[in-house]
Amino acid sequence: MERLIQCIADNVVSPLGLDSVSNYESVKAGRSGLKRYESMGNVHTPFTLSRIDRQVVDDACSRIGLADGRYTFFEKMLLLSSVQAVRDAGIDASSDKVLFVVSTTKGNVSLLGDPAGFPSERVLLGKAARQITDFFGNPNSPLVVCNACISGVCAQIEAMRALKSGRYDYAVVMGADEQSPFIISGFLSFKAISDDFCRPFDKDRRGLNLGECAATVVLKAADSVPDDCWELVTGAIRNDANHISGPSRTGEGSYLALMETLRCCRPEDLAFVNVHGTATAYNDEMESIAIYRAGLIDVPVTGLKGYYGHTMGAAGIMESILSMYAVRDHTVLATRGFAVQGTTYPVSVSPELRVTDGRQFIKLLSGFGGCNAALLYRLNGKW
């Protein structure tokens, strides 16, 4: 019998709160963590960003014994999120049957400009991830997933595969990225950043916002998933190799990833598709085409970048978690910043909260290099 994958715990750390519940309640109320900045470091072009208060993080770290200077800010974000999720899951994280999976696109890249007393090797993603497993006393080598914007979805797919193999019983899947002048200037060089709040799928969208977040899900391999519990049903990764930084004009990779998830569900059973929704001209257009081609044009669409910005390695995990909370709450979250349809195909996006009776959702992401990924989550049992 094939093992099923159950999500048994989660946690989100962001400018909107240090737990999943406070984050969901903030988003449902329409609150955003985005703020306008006139400059940062050597970046003197205005931009809009969601940034976690360092003092809030330090205070929270003090409460769980992480205030001794051993960890970078990136590592602190990961630990704050994962410690709470592991506690909620009630698992022994030091067991060799637990796999840690870390999703990030940049890790400790800020140490390249300011080492802050840390050894140079800490910029290596594997070395940073090892700090997390060492904290928990876990003997396994952590799996690091670094695949551009789709990293958070890829990390969950890799964890699912590892659990189905029978080698592990649990996977702690976490993602985070710290924003820095290096990252901001890189996106500015693509002319991809807006200095105002982003407007996903809107005709006046002018670019993306960046953001900081850490998010964790704890997955469990099981013979069955109980009623009223979340099952990670399937996932797909497809690369259309269109361009190093531009998405396919036909939505090919996203379309193929969506079609793979639709092998396990019917469009009418979906509560919504949670999209990438970066508010860039080409991403939103590409997603609208892929959704249309997949026969999902009437399924509600929701995007969270207007609340958090693009949180990179955390996005696929955080947005999956908030989607779970929304489905359980019979809610399609509003797409903040959207007002007037601005894509060729009129996807069902709304600036208002909507009611849903669906028990499944698809999480869709796309990224540089033509990479695309999708997940299907299902809330088992009856309402």
Side-chain angles (χ1 to χ4, degrees):
M1 178 182 295
E2 184 180 44
R3 294 176 127 195
L4 303 179
I5 308 303
Q6 180 184 352
C7 180
I8 61 173
D10 57 77
N11 193 59
V12 175
V13 172
S14 84
L16 296 179
L18 301 183
D19 59 79
S20 298
V21 172
S22 61
N23 273 272
Y24 175 69
E25 290 176 346
S26 291
V27 170
K28 187 178 180 183
R31 291 190 286 273
S32 173
L34 292 167
K35 296 181 181 179
R36 179 183 166 97
Y37 291 81
E38 298 302 319
S39 65
M40 179 183 289
N42 61 354
V43 176
H44 300 291
T45 301
F47 56 89
T48 299
L49 173 77
S50 75
R51 195 163 189 256
I52 301 176
D53 187 308
R54 271 52 179 166
Q55 190 59 54
V56 170
V57 168
D58 286 343
D59 291 345
C61 285
S62 295
R63 292 193 289 272
I64 60 173
L66 298 175
D68 57 5
R70 283 183 297 166
Y71 302 102
T72 66
F73 178 73
F74 165 70
E75 294 158 5
K76 288 177 182 178
M77 286 197 295
L78 286 174
L79 284 167
L80 278 181
S81 178
S82 59
V83 165
Q84 187 60 55
V86 166
R87 286 176 179 171
D88 291 345
I91 64 173
D92 176 8
S94 66
S95 168
D96 63 359
K97 300 299 285 183
V98 177
L99 172 68
F100 279 77
V101 185
V102 176
S103 162
T104 186
T105 67
K106 300 294 187 292
N108 279 320
V109 70
S110 61
L111 295 184
L112 290 175
D114 179 13
F118 291 98
S120 59
E121 66 180 13
R122 286 284 271 279
V123 300
L124 302 177
L125 301 184
K127 294 294 184 179
R130 194 71 208 186
Q131 301 301 310
I132 310 304
T133 53
D134 285 350
F135 173 86
F136 286 101
N138 185 273
N140 299 316
S141 295
L143 176 62
V144 178
V145 177
C146 181
N147 194 359
C149 304
I150 70 171
S151 298
V153 167
C154 290
Q156 293 175 77
I157 292 173
E158 289 302 313
M160 177 174 62
R161 292 170 177 170
L163 292 174
K164 285 181 178 290
S165 75
R167 184 175 178 182
Y168 306 98
D169 293 333
Y170 300 94
V172 181
V173 188
M174 65 191 76
D177 268 304
E178 173 187 4
Q179 297 301 334
S180 68
F182 173 81
I183 297 170
I184 295 165
S185 62
F187 277 92
L188 282 169
S189 72
F190 284 114
K191 309 296 183 184
I193 286 186
S194 172
D195 60 345
D196 198 0
F197 298 114
C198 65
R199 304 177 65 85
F201 293 93
D202 190 84
K203 71 178 184 67
D204 293 325
R205 64 189 186 277
R206 294 192 295 137
L208 60 78
N209 304 143
L210 293 171
E212 291 180 339
C213 178
T216 303
V217 290
V218 181
L219 303 177
K220 172 186 176 181
D223 293 331
S224 63
V225 176
D227 286 353
D228 202 37
C229 292
W230 281 102
E231 178 185 356
L232 175 52
V233 181
T234 190
I237 303 168
R238 298 292 183 268
N239 195 308
D240 53 46
N242 178 72
H243 187 268
I244 191 172
S245 62
S248 165
R249 300 300 188 266
T250 60
E252 191 66 21
S254 286
Y255 162 72
L256 292 173
L258 284 171
M259 293 306 294
E260 186 66 27
T261 63
L262 288 172
R263 293 174 181 268
C264 300
C265 74
R266 302 178 303 172
E268 57 266 34
D269 294 330
L270 289 169
F272 51 77
V273 178
N274 181 275
V275 292
H276 197 32
T278 60
T280 56
Y282 294 135
N283 174 87
D284 294 6
E285 176 71 3
M286 176 274 295
E287 284 194 295
S288 79
I289 294 170
I291 288 167
Y292 169 78
R293 290 181 63 193
L296 301 175
I297 198 65
D298 295 323
V299 175
V301 163
T302 177
L304 298 174
K305 299 298 192 292
Y307 304 95
Y308 295 95
H310 189 347
T311 55
M312 304 198 308
I317 302 172
M318 175 268 287
E319 293 172 2
S320 294
I321 292 169
L322 293 193
S323 294
M324 290 186 222
Y325 279 73
V327 168
R328 193 179 288 279
D329 194 29
H330 301 269
T331 298
V332 181
L333 290 168
T335 299
R336 194 177 193 274
F338 172 80
V340 179
Q341 189 75 50
T343 55
T344 299
Y345 292 96
V347 293
S348 181
V349 62
S350 172
E352 307 294 336
L353 297 171
R354 288 175 283 174
V355 176
T356 180
D357 289 325
R359 296 186 305 172
Q360 306 178 65
F361 70 88
I362 291 174
K363 173 63 207 147
L364 183 64
L365 283 181
S366 301
F368 286 169
C371 58
N372 305 270
L375 292 175
L376 175 65
Y377 269 98
R378 174 187 299 143
L379 184 60
N380 280 338
K382 299 179 180 179
W383 288 112

